[in-house]
C-alpha cells in the first residue's frame, strides 16, 4: 500500500479518537445491545438470587461506599459542591441499591429489592442533578461550612434510606412490580431518574467539551450516562432476569465503577502535592466566576495571574497563569496581578 494512501491518516484519526474516548465504548456497546433487544419478546430469564445479591454487595454497595468516602475527602479539600453531591449520591446507592436491596431480597422478596433499587436510584439522580444545576448556574455552595454540609447531606441520605427501610418493614410501600409486571409508580420513578441522569450528563458533558483539562469529568460524564441507560433498560424490561434487565444491571454496575474512578482521579490529583493545580482542575467551571462566562476567555488567556476571592476573603478561582505559580506565592499573594471579588 502506498505511503500516500488515505488509510494511514484515517487509522491514525480513529486511533486518536479511541485513545481519547475509550471510556465511552462500554456505553455504546450496551446501547447497541439494548436497541437490538427492544421490541423482542423475552422468553428466558436467569436470575440466580445468590449471584445477584453478591453483585449488589460488591458493585452497588462496596464500590459506591468507597466512592462516597473519596468524594467527601475531595469536597472537604476543594469546597466544590459537585463532589459533595457525588458522595451523597454514591452513599444513597451503597445504602439503598446495594446494602438494603440485598438485605431484603431473601426475607422479603425480589419485589422489595426492585422497589428499593428504584427509589435509591431516584434519590441519587436528584442529588446529581442538583449538583449539575448548581454548576450550570455558576453558584458555589458550601465553601465555608463544609463539615456541616457533609453531615447534612450524608445524614439526610442515611435517614431517607432508613425511613424507606421502615416503610418496607411495615408493608407501606407502593407496589413496583406486580403479577402483570411493572407498575405505573415504578415507571414514573425510573423515568424521572433517567431524565435527571441524562440532563446531568449533558450539562457536565458541555463543560467537559469547553474545559477538556478537568480530569474527573472523563469518568463522571460517561458514568452518569451509564446510569441513565440503566434506568431506561429497567423501564423497558418485561421480566426480571431477562436480557434487557441484565443490560440495565450491567450499565448500573459500570456506572458505579465509573463514578468511583471519577472520585479516585481527583483524589490522586490532590495527593500529588500541588493543591493549586488540583483545586483549579476541580473548581474550573464551578467557581463564582462561572456566572460571568463571557469573561472567561479573556481571564484564561491573559498572562497575568487573576484570582477570584469570595466575600469571606477566601480564594475561589484562579486562571491558568496563576496555576503555574507556586502555592506558597498564592498564599502570600505576592505575585497576584488582579483580584476579582465576588
Amino acid at each position: 500500500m502506498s505511503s500516500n494512501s488515505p488509510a494511514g491518516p484515517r487509522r491514525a484519526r480513529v486511533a486518536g479518537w479511541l485513545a481519547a474516548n475509550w471510556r465511552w465504548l462500554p456505553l455504546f456497546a450496551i446501547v447497541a445491545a439494548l436497541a437490538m433487544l427492544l421490541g423482542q419478546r423475552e422468553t428466558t430469564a436467569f436470575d440466580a438470587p445468590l449471584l445477584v445479591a453478591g453483585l449488589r454487595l460488591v458493585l452497588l454497595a462496596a464500590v459506591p461506599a468507597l466512592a462516597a468516602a473519596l468524594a467527601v475527602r475531595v469536597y472537604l479539600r476543594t469546597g466544590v459542591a459537585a463532589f459533595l453531591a457525588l458522595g451523597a449520591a454514591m452513599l444513597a446507592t451503597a445504602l439503598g441499591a446495594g446494602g438494603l436491596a440485598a438485605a431484603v431480597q431473601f426475607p422479603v422478596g425480589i419485589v422489595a429489592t426492585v422497589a428499593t433499587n428504584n427509589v435509591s436510584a431516584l434519590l441519587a439522580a436528584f442529588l446529581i442533578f442538583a449538583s449539575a444545576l448548581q454548576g450550570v448556574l455558576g453558584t458555589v455552595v458550601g465553601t465555608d461550612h463544609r463539615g456541616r454540609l457533609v453531615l447534612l447531606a450524608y445524614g439526610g441520605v442515611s435517614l431517607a434510606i432508613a425511613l424507606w427501610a421502615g416503610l418496607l418493614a411495615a408493608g407501606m410501600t407502593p407496589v413496583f412490580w406486580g403479577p402483570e409486571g411493572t407498575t405505573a409508580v415504578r415507571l414514573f420513578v425510573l423515568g424521572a431518574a433517567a431524565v435527571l441522569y441524562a440532563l446531568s450528563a449533558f450539562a457536565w458533558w458541555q463543560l467537559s467539551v469547553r474545559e477538556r483539562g478537568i480530569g474527573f469529568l472523563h469518568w463522571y460524564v460517561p458514568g452518569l450516562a451509564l446510569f441513565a441507560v440503566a434506568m431506561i433498560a429497567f423501564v423497558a424490561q418485561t421480566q426480571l432476569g431477562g436480557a434487557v434487565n441484565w443490560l440495565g444491571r450491567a450499565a448500573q454496575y459500570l456506572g458505579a465503577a465509573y463514578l468511583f474512578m471519577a472520585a479516585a482521579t481527583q483524589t490522586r490529583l490532590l495527593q500529588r502535592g500541588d493543591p493549586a493545580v488540583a483545586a483549579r482542575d476541580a473548581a474550573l467551571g464551578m467557581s463564582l466566576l462561572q456566572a460571568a462566562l463571557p469573561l472567561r476567555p479573556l481571564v484564561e488567556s491573559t498572562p497575568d495571574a487573576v484570582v477570584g476571592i469570595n466575600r469571606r476573603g477566601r480564594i475561589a478561582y484562579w486562571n491558568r497563569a496563576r496555576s503555574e505559580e507556586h502555592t506558597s506565592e498564592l498564599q502570600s499573594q505576592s505575585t497576584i496581578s488582579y483580584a476579582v471579588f465576588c
Side-chain angles (χ1 to χ4, degrees):
M1 182 179 293
S2 173
S3 59
N4 296 327
S5 171
R10 189 180 302 114
R11 283 196 297 268
R13 287 194 298 270
V14 172
W17 186 90
L18 289 175
N21 299 280
W22 61 269
R23 297 173 185 85
W24 289 89
L25 295 181
L27 174 68
F28 296 155
I30 291 175
V31 170
L34 187 60
M36 289 188 295
L37 290 174
L38 288 180
Q40 298 183 15
R41 184 178 180 181
E42 295 183 291
T43 57
T44 59
F46 174 76
D47 203 28
L50 289 177
L51 174 62
V52 173
L55 290 173
R56 284 191 177 279
L57 289 175
V58 174
L59 299 175
L60 292 181
V63 172
L66 290 173
L70 292 176
V72 75
R73 290 179 58 190
V74 175
Y75 169 70
L76 290 173
R77 289 281 299 276
T78 64
V80 177
F83 294 108
L84 177 61
L86 168 60
M90 287 294 92
L91 182 63
T93 301
L95 295 179
L100 182 59
V104 301
Q105 179 174 334
F106 295 102
V108 182
I110 191 63
V111 174
T113 298
V114 170
T116 302
N117 182 57
N118 298 162
V119 169
S120 61
L122 179 59
L123 175 60
F126 174 78
L127 293 167
I128 293 291
F129 178 73
S131 170
L133 187 62
Q134 171 266 333
V136 170
L137 295 178
T139 58
V140 171
V141 178
T143 57
D144 300 314
H145 304 287
R146 299 174 191 176
R148 296 178 188 176
L149 285 176
V150 168
L151 290 176
L152 180 63
Y154 279 46
V157 166
S158 302
L159 182 61
I161 299 299
L163 177 61
W164 176 258
L167 293 175
L168 278 176
M172 298 174 61
T173 58
V175 177
F176 278 66
W177 190 273
E180 302 298 325
T182 191
T183 64
V185 173
R186 181 173 181 270
L187 291 179
F188 173 79
V189 168
L190 289 174
V195 170
L196 293 176
Y197 273 124
L199 290 175
S200 301
F202 179 72
W204 291 120
W205 173 78
Q206 287 186 309
L207 178 59
S208 70
V209 170
R210 294 198 307 266
E211 307 291 350
R212 297 183 181 275
I214 304 180
F216 88 98
L217 289 180
H218 297 163
W219 291 100
Y220 193 53
V221 176
L224 297 181
L226 280 164
F227 269 104
V229 170
M231 300 303 109
I232 294 172
F234 292 150
V235 168
Q237 73 183 43
T238 57
Q239 64 176 335
L240 298 175
V244 174
N245 179 240
W246 274 104
L247 282 175
R249 292 174 181 176
Q252 190 178 28
Y253 299 156
L254 280 173
Y258 270 50
L259 296 194
F260 166 78
M261 287 302 301
T265 297
Q266 197 62 30
T267 301
R268 286 198 303 268
L269 189 59
L270 286 170
Q271 291 174 342
R272 289 179 182 175
D274 191 350
V277 174
R280 176 191 174 275
D281 184 66
L284 201 54
M286 293 169 277
S287 67
L288 291 172
L289 293 186
Q290 174 74 6
L293 284 177
L295 295 178
R296 173 171 292 182
L298 175 63
V299 171
E300 289 294 326
S301 63
T302 179
D304 297 311
V306 178
V307 175
I309 303 174
N310 65 18
R311 290 183 176 88
R312 294 180 177 267
R314 298 187 179 184
I315 294 172
Y317 169 87
W318 47 83
N319 65 346
R320 288 189 176 91
R322 187 58 203 157
S323 297
E324 297 171 357
E325 299 179 2
H326 196 271
T327 304
S328 62
E329 296 176 350
L330 179 62
Q331 294 171 344
S332 65
Q333 301 186 13
S334 59
T335 60
I336 298 176
S337 301
Y338 298 99
V340 180
F341 292 87
C342 305

